[in-house]
């Protein structure tokens, strides 16, 4: 039982990280600059900015994004991050067909 719930938590964390990465990508595409943490909270439906920071730290550790600590709107998506974004968008397109 514990192992299954741990797998579920990992899958949910991955899904949340993917949502945040896609949120950053779409925001930059739409506005021409990156979102701040509060923007991300609102868009993905999270009430806690610390939760968004946690996911953003994971994305940075995975080398999917970069940002300057303590500075707003400095998030950039790395080449590796762009590759994952395009994979996620392609998966979504396939599911929509």
């Amino acid at each position: 039982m514990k192992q299954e719930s741990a797998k579920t938590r990992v899958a949910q964390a991955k899904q949340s990280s993917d949502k945040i990465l896609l949120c950053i990508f779409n925001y930059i595409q739409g506005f021409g600059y990156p979102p701040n943490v509060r923007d991300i909270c609102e868009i993905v439906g999270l009430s806690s900015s610390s939760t968004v920071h946690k996911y953003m730290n994971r994305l940075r550790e995975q080398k999917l994004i970069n940002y300057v600590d303590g500075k707003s709107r400095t998030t950039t998506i790395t080449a590796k991050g762009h590759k994952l974004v395009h994979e996620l968008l392609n998966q979504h397109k396939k599911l929509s067909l």
Side-chain angles (χ1 to χ4, degrees), residues 11-27:
Q12 288 171 342
K14 167 85 170 101
Q15 188 176 26
S16 294
S17 293
D18 289 350
K19 270 189 195 176
I20 290 172
L21 181 61
L22 287 170
C23 169
I24 294 166
F25 175 81
N26 288 327
Y27 196 98

Side-chain angles (χ1 to χ4, degrees), residues 18 84-96:
D18 289 350
L84 178 57
V85 163
H86 292 294
E87 289 172 9
L88 293 169
L89 292 173
N90 285 335
Q91 285 175 5
H92 181 71
K93 284 180 188 175
K94 288 177 185 176
L95 292 174
S96 297

